[in-house]
Amino acid sequence: MLIDDEFIDRVLEGEATGEEAAEFQAWLQVPANLDRFALRAELHSDLRRSLRRRDIQKSALEASTGSPVTDSTSTREQLSAPSFRPRQMLVLTVAGLVTAACLLLTIISPEGNSDPSSADGSAATVVSNVNGVLTKDGTQWSEAQIPVGDYELQKGLVHLEFGGGVMVYVEAPARFNAVSKERIVLHSGRLSARVPPEGIGFTVETPEAEVVDFGTEFSVDVEGGASEVHVFDGLVRVHPGASNQREASRSVDLQASQAVRIANGAAEPEDISIATDRFIRNFDEPRLNYARAVKRLSPLAYYRMPIRDRGLVSEPLEYSGVVLTGDGKRPPHARGVFVGGSLRVGVDSIGRGGRVDSPPPLSTGRFSLVVFVYLEAPAEHAEHAMVATNKNDERGNFSLSLDENGELQASITSSNAVVTSVASGSVLPQKTWRQVVVTANGEQLHLYEDGRLVASKPCAAMAASDSDPVWFGTDAEATQVWDGRIDEVALFDRALNEEEIAALYRTAQEEIARLR
């Protein structure tokens, strides 16, 4: 059978028979034929652009194996042994081969590796700057355009847009070189990238590796003579080694939920667990089912802990506060329980908690606090660390903190000045998001963890508090600083019931499963 350009076009258009497809598979075993097919497929690149990002990756990988792909192998290895499906699936198969061939061209094409800068010398645009101090060649840079050059993010966070709609989120401290609209060199620090189909081929270089993206979401962490690459969606190719020591044979492909660590001088990348909670991958707080569920319960104030430069934002805005800061390395923000941000306190951050000077009044004798907590230090080293309180000397009426045993403890002051406290009965786990709910209904003080009642005690109606400041992650004296993250805080002037609490937790779990 003669395989010429006309035949290849028939394959690309899905008109080949099953028998012809089998012969075409054998023909592709020859590297020169594979390259020829890739070049011809480039003429049909509009197919790739018409597919959504996930379809691109799934089709490319599955077309090369004939079944869902679970192991990480190189794109060239996948292309060299495609397994065609029955005729009714041929169109999908060909779409996948077109995509895979285009990805191959991204790697081998000289144009794809030349890193041309734009005509005006600009590599990126600043989308948002959250308390960021960015310098270029030692001088503070505050312009919206990011010209080609070396930068240091000394403080805060920046969101940059590169060519093809590539979104890059950089966390201080970080040093990077904006090489072009298609390339960034990360010398140290953390960044996350979201790459649409139009940005395929976007490259992040580090001292230990080069990361080429194929339309995905991934993060890179460079610290202590090692680089880590974490893939959350799609596909990236990692070329380990310094820039003058990279060999194609050592390259590895990473798919969603895979991560590697490349140490300086190591022969091969090391597989590691993906760090879903380490990286800030979005500054926005999307509209979520969980947020809608909370709002339907009519909270007095709701703090979603968005990443903003204007303080501690509340819904409604009149109960907003300030983010407290001190000495530290990283911003007072971290990835939240869902997506977006959370308030980060202590550990290695500059965060020292939050304060609301004009909170909503708590004067009905009934109360609920809903919050997600994430402890980064061992619980035994964080005794008395505060989650939330409005107590200051003899004033205030509630608190949630760790006790001397590392257990969560809720306390309220009743109208007769009696303080009632309950403890969870178990040590709070480290580096795990935990939903905590405290309720006081005038008769009982209840403490819930992850939708389950863990402790209760009789109590009288809670004392009124009309204007006492509220602290998150610290107390009035700044002696009980939390070591971790706080997110999705809601205050109520009524006691939520068990059904409402269980429903909130179910919604949260559904949201987490959908977004991770």
Side-chain angles (χ1 to χ4, degrees):
M1 181 180 66
L2 176 65
I3 297 181
D4 54 14
D5 288 346
E6 181 178 350
F7 178 83
I8 294 174
D9 288 341
R10 289 181 54 224
V11 172
L12 291 169
E13 293 165 4
E15 297 176 358
T17 66
E19 182 177 350
E20 289 173 329
E23 292 193 46
F24 186 65
Q25 176 186 5
W27 182 78
L28 285 177
Q29 301 297 319
V30 179
N33 294 342
L34 177 65
D35 290 343
R36 177 182 173 186
F37 173 71
L39 291 170
R40 191 68 182 176
E42 182 71 330
L43 299 176
H44 296 254
S45 61
D46 58 315
L47 292 177
R48 178 190 67 182
R49 297 180 185 275
S50 69
L51 295 174
R52 296 180 64 85
R53 183 177 64 196
R54 290 188 179 181
D55 291 337
I56 288 176
Q57 305 308 330
K58 182 179 178 181
S59 298
L61 294 173
E62 291 189 355
S64 65
T65 62
S67 61
V69 175
T70 57
D71 295 326
S72 177
T73 55
S74 73
T75 303
R76 179 172 287 275
E77 288 171 348
Q78 293 165 356
L79 276 170
S80 65
S83 178
F84 288 93
R85 301 172 185 172
R87 179 176 175 79
Q88 60 266 30
M89 293 297 291
L90 191 56
V91 173
L92 177 60
T93 301
V94 169
L97 282 171
V98 171
T99 301
C102 291
L103 298 183
L104 176 64
L105 284 175
T106 300
I107 300 170
I108 66 175
S109 170
E111 292 77 12
N113 293 323
S114 61
D115 292 323
S117 59
S118 62
D120 61 359
S122 175
T125 302
V126 178
V127 178
S128 60
N129 181 322
V130 181
N131 299 316
V133 176
L134 183 67
T135 63
K136 181 179 188 294
D137 300 324
T139 302
Q140 187 162 342
W141 186 265
S142 57
E143 302 296 325
Q145 295 299 315
I146 298 294
V148 170
D150 291 312
Y151 296 84
E152 181 177 2
L153 184 61
Q154 299 176 347
K155 176 184 176 182
L157 302 156
V158 292
H159 173 192
L160 307 176
E161 181 176 1
F162 283 78
V166 175
M167 300 298 177
V168 174
Y169 305 87
V170 186
E171 175 184 344
R175 292 189 306 107
F176 64 91
N177 181 1
V179 178
S180 72
K181 289 182 178 293
E182 296 82 26
R183 191 181 191 89
I184 183 173
V185 178
L186 182 64
H187 299 292
S188 64
R190 296 175 182 172
L191 69 73
S192 296
R194 301 170 71 93
V195 182
E198 295 78 11
I200 284 177
F202 182 76
T203 300
V204 177
E205 184 176 355
T206 78
E208 292 80 29
E210 181 183 67
V211 183
V212 182
D213 182 271
F214 293 149
T216 184
E217 181 183 2
F218 69 99
S219 296
V220 179
D221 191 348
V222 180
E223 187 174 7
S227 298
E228 293 185 11
V229 183
H230 299 251
V231 181
F232 302 100
D233 186 24
L235 173 72
V236 303
R237 170 158 293 175
V238 179
H239 303 287
S243 59
N244 60 346
Q245 299 174 346
R246 292 177 188 137
E247 300 177 6
S249 61
R250 296 173 57 203
S251 299
V252 296
D253 286 354
L254 300 181
Q255 302 172 41
S257 300
Q258 293 182 328
V260 294
R261 184 176 189 271
I262 307 102
N264 185 17
E268 300 293 338
E270 173 190 0
D271 290 335
I272 58 175
S273 298
I274 191 165
T276 57
D277 290 319
R278 184 190 307 175
F279 303 95
I280 295 175
R281 293 151 50 194
N282 198 330
F283 289 2
D284 298 324
E285 295 288 338
R287 296 180 179 180
L288 301 174
N289 292 332
Y290 181 82
R292 286 190 284 268
V294 170
K295 292 176 184 179
R296 282 196 296 268
L297 299 176
S298 302
L300 293 174
Y302 184 22
Y303 302 87
R304 299 196 64 197
M305 304 302 179
I307 298 174
R308 297 287 186 271
D309 59 1
R310 60 176 185 269
L312 198 67
V313 180
S314 167
E315 300 177 34
L317 288 174
E318 63 187 284
Y319 300 129
S320 296
V322 295
V323 175
L324 307 174
T325 59
D327 294 333
K329 178 180 177 181
R330 301 196 180 279
H333 307 282
R335 178 175 169 84
V337 62
F338 303 120
V339 293
S342 64
L343 179 67
R344 195 175 193 212
V345 187
V347 199
D348 61 350
S349 79
I350 65 172
R352 294 298 180 269
R355 186 184 71 241
V356 180
D357 291 320
S358 299
L362 300 171
S363 55
T364 64
R366 289 157 178 76
F367 170 75
S368 291
L369 166 68
V370 180
V371 59
F372 277 90
V373 297
Y374 184 96
L375 186 64
E376 296 192 54
E380 58 269 23
H381 298 157
E383 61 181 52
H384 305 300
M386 186 63 66
V387 176
T389 187
N390 67 351
K391 291 188 176 184
N392 184 8
D393 293 329
E394 300 301 320
R395 301 180 62 85
N397 57 6
F398 80 90
S399 69
L400 175 64
S401 64
L402 291 181
D403 66 11
E404 63 276 6
N405 300 315
E407 301 176 10
L408 284 167
Q409 176 178 278
S411 300
I412 68 161
T413 302
S414 61
S415 54
N416 58 8
V418 174
V419 176
T420 303
S421 300
V422 292
S424 64
S426 62
V427 175
L428 184 68
Q430 187 181 3
K431 295 185 178 180
T432 301
W433 281 107
R434 176 66 52 94
Q435 187 200 48
V436 184
V437 181
V438 179
T439 68
N441 61 11
E443 297 179 353
Q444 293 280 330
L445 172 63
H446 294 301
L447 177 61
Y448 296 81
E449 289 189 8
D450 288 348
R452 182 175 61 89
L453 179 65
V454 295
S456 65
K457 184 178 289 188
C459 71
M462 192 168 78
S465 174
D466 293 329
S467 59
D468 296 310
V470 173
W471 288 268
F472 299 124
T474 187
D475 63 335
E477 288 78 28
T479 59
Q480 297 177 251
V481 178
W482 186 252
D483 271 317
R485 310 175 197 182
I486 297 172
D487 201 8
E488 301 288 337
V489 183
L491 299 173
F492 299 81
D493 61 356
R494 70 180 182 88
L496 301 182
N497 60 46
E498 288 191 359
E499 291 76 15
E500 291 170 326
I501 294 168
L504 273 183
Y505 180 67
R506 285 196 302 270
T507 303
Q509 292 306 296
E510 292 168 359
E511 207 84 271
I512 291 171
R514 181 174 64 86
L515 294 170
R516 292 298 171 104

